[in-house]
Amino acid sequence: MDVRPFWLAGRPATGEAELTVTNPHDGRVVAVCSVPTDGQVEEAVAAAAAVRKQAAALPIHVRAEALAHVSRRLAERADEIAALITAENGKPIFWARGEVGRAVSTFRFAAEETRRLGGETVRLDTEAASAGRLAYVSRVPYGPVLGISPFNFPLNLVAHKVAPAIAVGAPIVLKPAPATPVSSLVLGEILAETDLPEGMFSVLPVPNDRAGALVEDPRLPVVSFTGSAPVGYAIIDRVPRKHVTLELGGNAAAVVLADADLDWAASRIALFSNYQAGQSCIAVQRVIVEASVHDDFVARLVPAVEALVTGDPADEKTQVGPLVSAEAAERVEGWVGEAVSAGARLLTGGTRDGSTFAPTVLADVPADAKVCREEVFGPVMVVQKVSGVDEAFATVNDSRYGLQAGVFTRSLDNAFRANRELEVGGVIIGDVPSYRADQMPYGGVKDSGVGREGLRSAIADLTYEKVMVLTGITL
């Protein structure tokens, strides 16, 4: 099998070590990727720092066309890339195609936002002392970005690091997840087809234990991290003077109120607790149901979960594939076992076959169980009965996480109350918390992170406002 090169300052390169990527479903080798040496990592960072001023001065049309080119080429290579995502990640091909489609849109949105970039003017002669003065406010990139991406969306979450950086004219050094580097290396191939200057991007599949040096490097003033809360906050503690954005975990809640469409709620919650094998920060983990409809809802939910097709992710019919590794599945199995031992009832699922864990529904779970308090990151949901809206919303907020929540209701009053009261970054009315449009602001509060993704929001996050005051002009 040929060794895939990494991308060093826009050029393909190989190092001295190799990383073997395997399929989580059957263990077959998907790719062998070259790993950069410490010297090559230094070269990549030095190149990003050297091109910093040139990158910030790139004309809008150059940045926008590069982003549009990536969008077009992803669309042209969609089937190939979707198959790669399925192979390296274990994501069912249905969901992999959806991820490629989202990445196509992410780069297209970035191109559109880039063409809308521009400064604004503010008249200052609202006071006599500022007569004849006008402020021009522009946005300036902080500088080169270190992007650290996770395994669960190996293309589109990479896109959310790379696209806004290019949009603002910031070089980016990307460290993909060691389990799933192949999609980002293909993205590097496509970026290399553009007219971006050398040094504008590097894709470095280094192991996690070498990421600390990149985080601490002063030539990378911005760190954009997606992953677990402990690692994310350790980054902030390590580099408190850097500009750090964190998109972290969650234990997303779906609230089912008495006026909800129960069939719709059951079908959506069943699917989106288990999509990506539950390996999504906004997969449904806690299901909070008003008592008056609880039994009726559960009677619909369990069959909907049991009807999901689990199996080979390359099969067109598969809806739930394996976790990223057998170790990940074993951890989920352990958490479910702990909950059951503490008194939880297993309504369906609870079994493991290698790296695959059956879609699982638990009830009567102790409030302090890991499956309630922490992020399961597996195909497991906990059903909780509440007396009404007050208790439902209080239960959502009884979490150290606050990424997104879904509320199934037909009441406009309840919808706006949820928006006021729920301590989360996004409230989805009439659907699961797993809904995300790539152009909308996306991020959380509490231990779910700081900063926002979504192209316009990320562009603002990677830049600061700079003011030029013109003096002695006639307005």
Coordinates of all heavy atoms in Angstrom, one line a residue, residues 6 43 78 119 148 150 167 206-207 212 246 259 264 268 322-323 334 353 380 427 435 439 441 452:
F6 N 1.9 13.8 3.9 CA 1.2 14.9 4.6 C 1.5 16.2 3.8 O 2.2 16.2 2.8 CB 1.7 15.0 6.1 CG 3.1 15.1 6.3 CD1 3.8 16.4 6.2 CD2 3.9 14.0 6.5 CE1 5.2 16.4 6.4 CE2 5.3 14.1 6.7 CZ 5.9 15.3 6.6
E43 N 9.4 23.3 10.4 CA 9.4 24.0 9.1 C 8.0 24.5 8.7 O 7.8 25.6 8.2 CB 9.8 23.0 8.0 CG 10.0 23.6 6.6 CD 10.5 22.5 5.6 OE1 10.9 21.4 6.0 OE2 10.4 22.8 4.4
A78 N -17.1 13.6 -4.3 CA -18.0 13.3 -3.2 C -18.0 11.8 -2.9 O -17.9 11.4 -1.7 CB -19.4 13.9 -3.4
G119 N -14.8 46.9 5.7 CA -14.8 47.7 6.9 C -16.1 48.5 7.0 O -16.9 48.5 6.1
I148 N -7.0 22.0 15.8 CA -7.0 20.6 16.3 C -8.4 20.0 16.1 O -9.3 20.5 16.7 CB -6.5 20.6 17.7 CG1 -5.1 21.2 17.9 CG2 -6.4 19.1 18.2 CD1 -4.6 21.3 19.3
P150 N -11.3 16.7 15.7 CA -11.6 15.3 16.3 C -11.8 14.3 15.2 O -11.9 14.6 14.0 CB -12.8 15.6 17.1 CG -13.6 16.6 16.2 CD -12.5 17.5 15.6
A167 N -10.5 32.4 4.9 CA -11.4 33.6 4.7 C -10.8 34.9 5.2 O -10.9 35.9 4.6 CB -12.8 33.3 5.3
V206 N 0.4 14.4 13.3 CA 1.3 14.0 14.4 C 0.4 13.4 15.6 O -0.7 13.7 15.7 CB 2.0 15.2 15.0 CG1 3.0 15.8 13.9 CG2 1.1 16.3 15.5
P207 N 1.0 12.5 16.4 CA 0.3 11.9 17.5 C 0.0 12.9 18.5 O 0.6 14.0 18.6 CB 1.3 10.8 18.0 CG 2.6 11.2 17.5 CD 2.4 11.9 16.2
G212 N 1.4 19.2 22.3 CA 1.7 20.3 23.2 C 2.6 21.3 22.7 O 2.5 22.5 23.0
L246 N -12.8 27.0 21.9 CA -13.1 25.6 22.2 C -14.5 25.2 21.9 O -15.4 25.8 22.3 CB -12.9 25.4 23.7 CG -11.5 25.8 24.4 CD1 -11.6 25.6 25.9 CD2 -10.4 25.0 23.7
D259 N -47.7 18.4 24.7 CA -48.4 18.8 23.5 C -47.6 18.4 22.2 O -47.9 18.8 21.1 CB -48.6 20.3 23.5 CG -47.4 21.2 23.5 OD1 -46.3 20.6 23.9 OD2 -47.4 22.3 23.0
W264 N -43.4 11.8 15.8 CA -42.3 12.6 15.3 C -41.2 12.6 16.3 O -40.0 12.3 15.9 CB -42.8 14.0 14.9 CG -41.7 15.0 14.6 CD1 -41.3 16.0 15.4 CD2 -40.8 15.0 13.4 NE1 -40.2 16.7 14.8 CE2 -40.0 16.1 13.6 CE3 -40.7 14.3 12.3 CZ2 -39.0 16.5 12.6 CZ3 -39.8 14.6 11.3 CH2 -38.9 15.7 11.5
R268 N -37.4 10.9 15.6 CA -36.2 11.7 15.6 C -35.2 11.4 16.7 O -34.0 11.4 16.5 CB -36.6 13.2 15.6 CG -37.5 13.6 14.4 CD -36.7 13.6 13.2 NE -35.8 14.8 13.0 CZ -35.0 15.0 12.0 NH1 -34.9 14.1 11.0 NH2 -34.2 16.1 12.0
P322 N -20.2 1.1 13.8 CA -19.4 0.8 15.0 C -18.9 2.2 15.6 O -19.0 3.2 15.0 CB -18.2 0.1 14.4 CG -18.0 0.6 13.0 CD -19.4 0.8 12.5
L323 N -18.4 2.1 16.8 CA -17.7 3.2 17.4 C -16.3 3.2 16.8 O -15.9 2.3 16.0 CB -17.6 3.0 18.9 CG -18.9 3.5 19.7 CD1 -20.0 2.5 19.6 CD2 -18.6 3.9 21.1
G334 N -19.1 -0.4 29.8 CA -18.8 -0.3 31.2 C -19.7 0.7 31.9 O -20.2 0.5 33.0
D353 N -20.6 -6.0 20.4 CA -19.9 -7.0 19.5 C -18.7 -6.3 18.9 O -18.8 -5.5 17.9 CB -20.9 -7.4 18.4 CG -20.3 -8.4 17.4 OD1 -19.2 -8.9 17.7 OD2 -20.9 -8.7 16.4
V380 N -26.3 5.6 23.4 CA -27.0 5.3 24.6 C -27.9 6.6 25.0 O -27.4 7.7 24.9 CB -26.0 5.1 25.8 CG1 -26.8 4.9 27.1 CG2 -25.2 3.9 25.4
V427 N -31.0 26.3 21.1 CA -32.3 25.7 21.4 C -33.0 25.4 20.1 O -33.3 26.2 19.3 CB -33.1 26.6 22.3 CG1 -34.5 25.9 22.6 CG2 -32.4 26.9 23.6
Y435 N -29.6 19.0 15.5 CA -29.7 19.8 14.3 C -28.6 20.9 14.3 O -28.4 21.6 15.3 CB -31.1 20.4 14.2 CG -31.1 21.4 13.0 CD1 -31.3 20.9 11.7 CD2 -31.0 22.7 13.2 CE1 -31.4 21.7 10.6 CE2 -31.0 23.6 12.1 CZ -31.2 23.1 10.8 OH -31.2 23.9 9.7
Q439 N -24.0 27.3 8.6 CA -23.8 28.7 8.5 C -24.3 29.4 9.8 O -24.1 30.6 10.0 CB -24.6 29.3 7.3 CG -26.1 29.3 7.4 CD -26.7 28.0 6.9 OE1 -26.2 26.9 7.1 NE2 -27.9 28.1 6.2
P441 N -24.5 30.3 14.0 CA -23.5 30.2 15.1 C -23.7 28.9 15.9 O -24.8 28.5 16.2 CB -24.0 31.4 16.0 CG -24.7 32.3 15.1 CD -25.4 31.4 14.1
R452 N -17.5 30.5 19.0 CA -18.6 30.0 18.2 C -18.0 29.6 16.8 O -17.1 30.3 16.2 CB -19.7 31.1 17.9 CG -20.6 31.3 19.2 CD -21.4 30.1 19.5 NE -22.2 30.3 20.7 CZ -21.9 30.1 22.0 NH1 -20.6 29.7 22.2 NH2 -22.7 30.3 22.9

